[in-house]
Amino acid sequence: MSDTIFALSSGAPPAAIGVIRISGPAAGVALRALVGRDVEPRHASLAKLSGGDGALLDEALVLWFPGPNTATGEDLAELHCHGGRAVIAAIEAELGALTGLRRAEPGEFTRRAFANGQIDLAEAEGLADLLSAETELQRSAAIAMVGGGFSRRVELWRDGVLRLSAEVEAALDFADEDDVGGLGADFGARLDQLAGELAEWLARPRSERLGEGFRVVLAGPPNAGKSTLFNALVESEAAITSPIAGTTRDVIERSVAIAGIPFTFVDTAGLHEGGGDEIEAIGIGRAREQLERADLVLWLGPEDEGPKGCWEVEAQIDNHAHPVKSAPDWRVSARTGENLGALKAALIEKARQLMPKPGEAALNARQHGLLAEAHIALSEASELSDPLIIAECLRRARLAFDRLVGRATTEDMLDALFGRFCIGK
């Protein structure tokens, strides 16, 4: 990484302030070219920025961070200038004209931080999740991963495996020595304890759950009040409501956050056995598919005819002619709001049971898969007696831990990860 990169790291102009970041071996030269003097390290300075022809570009706060103790692990400069489009464009044009400088690619600053050991792969993934977080629960889970709690836990697991491996190697190398015995009496117990800790993490809710949200499907026959209740839950007129049966002909989805928890509410076509037209039949088919994908079904149809585990909802209770249920879980009126708040509170509590706890790191698919590989290897080792095969199982577990934090990885995977970041991050 001999070249030096720059990019606007703040929001798109126009804005009150624009932050332009420069990272690489020529960062100090670039800063001096714009300011015309040396800048005190790690101290905000007010400076006039000038172009190569001496023309004033802007007056800005400038910061100079000599490497390697920086966010990227290399020389780093920041220009906190006015956030107008013309100002940003003029400064970037001057930087682009300097020898050895080029515009950064998406995620390149963070990728350099990873390459220079400032963050590991799990922390980088957490940072990507943090940048895309839309709910409080997503934010807190991402912060937990960025903070390195999971990475430190992986290091402890890896150290434990290394100690176990050392015992196995000693047993193999010095099997004929009188003063070196076989594996310790507590070897199996320590192996089981380590595998048990991994099993606890594997049982946690996954981070994908945060992105998809708790999926609530409203289902029942035509004209049961599904769309009206759907609109009330998402607090918008997303679905058309009408006394005419079969108004909703397709699946309608809306993602919302309630009390900081992500939800996806799904309104479906009315389920019935009649011989409707072809479009209606397609809608009914899609509605049945949604029942299979739901975390929870709010069933507005005839009592005891909904899918297993559904919540029986007696809707439209403001209408004296509404269908009555003998033992519904909920009696609500979406029009008057009666019991609607209590239903939302119950949905929040139900969702919390399936979501990562606030502030708790949640594993993504890649991390979960690698942790599962390590768990399988340790579980196999606990059932074996041959030290040679046990050593191979421990090696597999150690490799999975290395891949978790990025000690061993592939360029394609890194390209996919850092490509999620915006330019300037």
Side-chain angles (χ1 to χ4, degrees):
M1 297 182 182
S2 59
D3 52 349
T4 297
I5 57 174
F6 67 90
L8 178 68
S9 292
S10 53
I17 300 294
V19 179
I20 298 175
R21 178 181 285 181
I22 311 166
S23 182
V29 174
L31 183 60
R32 197 175 300 111
L34 289 174
V35 176
R37 58 177 171 84
D38 290 333
V39 175
E40 182 181 350
R42 293 178 170 81
H43 180 80
S45 304
L46 184 64
K48 296 182 184 298
L49 307 181
S50 301
D53 58 359
L56 180 65
L57 301 174
D58 191 25
E59 190 171 30
L61 284 177
V62 297
L63 296 101
W64 165 236
F65 304 98
N69 188 24
T70 67
T72 60
E74 54 191 15
D75 288 350
L76 182 71
E78 287 187 355
L79 312 174
H80 294 235
C81 56
H82 292 93
R85 289 191 179 91
V87 173
I88 299 297
I91 296 173
E92 288 186 331
E94 286 297 327
L95 290 173
L98 295 176
T99 302
L101 269 70
R102 64 169 175 82
R103 293 179 182 273
E105 299 293 332
E108 193 168 3
F109 288 97
T110 307
R111 185 162 186 165
R112 291 191 177 201
F114 166 73
N116 292 322
Q118 300 302 104
I119 59 174
D120 64 31
L121 194 57
E123 291 168 332
E125 288 174 311
L127 183 56
D129 291 337
L130 182 63
L131 294 175
S132 61
E134 295 183 349
T135 68
E136 173 58 23
L137 202 56
Q138 291 168 341
R139 184 200 66 80
S140 63
I143 283 289
M145 191 65 73
V146 172
F150 176 65
S151 298
R152 289 188 291 273
R153 177 63 61 181
V154 172
E155 288 301 320
L156 291 174
W157 292 332
R158 186 178 184 276
D159 288 344
V161 168
L162 285 172
R163 287 192 292 271
L164 293 170
S165 296
E167 292 184 32
V168 175
E169 294 298 330
L172 289 170
D173 291 344
F174 303 102
D176 297 330
E177 299 289 337
D178 292 337
D179 60 343
V180 179
L183 299 177
D186 65 342
F187 183 89
R190 286 186 288 142
L191 194 57
D192 290 339
Q193 179 182 357
L194 188 55
E197 290 181 20
L198 268 60
E200 291 178 5
W201 274 78
L202 290 170
R204 290 184 177 189
R206 299 262 296 275
S207 66
E208 289 82 6
R209 170 73 67 179
L210 292 170
E212 297 168 358
F214 186 73
R215 196 173 187 84
V216 180
V217 175
L218 286 76
N223 226 27
K226 299 185 299 298
S227 295
T228 304
L229 179 57
F230 173 84
N231 287 340
L233 290 170
V234 302
E235 297 183 0
S236 74
E237 297 296 321
I240 299 173
T241 60
S242 167
I244 302 173
T247 303
T248 302
R249 315 262 286 184
D250 201 354
V251 171
I252 300 174
E253 293 188 13
R254 285 294 182 274
S255 296
V256 297
I258 306 177
I261 297 176
F263 283 85
T264 296
F265 288 98
V266 184
D267 186 21
T268 60
L271 298 173
H272 63 94
E273 302 298 333
D277 59 41
E278 183 177 354
I279 295 177
E280 185 179 14
I282 293 173
I284 292 174
R286 291 178 178 176
R288 297 190 188 281
E289 291 174 1
Q290 290 296 324
L291 297 182
E292 299 295 324
R293 296 179 55 195
D295 293 313
L296 176 67
V297 174
L298 300 183
W299 179 250
L300 280 67
E303 197 163 11
D304 297 327
E305 293 185 15
K308 183 179 179 180
C310 69
W311 283 3
E312 293 278 0
V313 178
E314 183 180 325
Q316 301 175 321
I317 60 174
D318 57 295
N319 182 354
H320 296 297
H322 77 278
V324 176
K325 296 188 178 185
S326 61
D329 296 293
W330 295 96
R331 300 182 70 253
V332 300
S333 169
R335 295 191 183 279
T336 67
E338 186 175 352
N339 292 333
L340 189 62
L343 174 58
K344 283 188 177 182
L347 288 172
I348 291 169
E349 185 59 32
K350 180 74 172 178
R352 279 183 176 146
Q353 298 172 14
L354 296 181
M355 291 286 178
K357 293 181 174 60
E360 181 179 83
L363 304 181
N364 62 29
R366 185 193 74 87
Q367 294 160 349
H368 190 275
L370 289 172
L371 202 63
E373 288 182 21
H375 179 260
I376 290 171
L378 295 176
S379 298
E380 290 177 359
S382 67
E383 299 175 356
L384 299 170
S385 58
D386 187 334
L388 192 62
I389 304 178
I390 292 174
E392 172 59 21
C393 290
L394 294 176
R395 186 196 67 82
R396 286 164 44 205
R398 189 171 66 252
L399 179 59
F401 291 143
D402 286 345
R403 291 167 63 194
L404 264 172
V405 295
R407 281 195 180 95
T409 188
T410 66
E411 285 299 312
D412 287 345
M413 191 277 292
L414 293 178
D415 289 343
L417 168 61
F418 293 110
R420 292 173 56 192
F421 289 79
C422 58
I423 295 174
K425 187 60 182 172

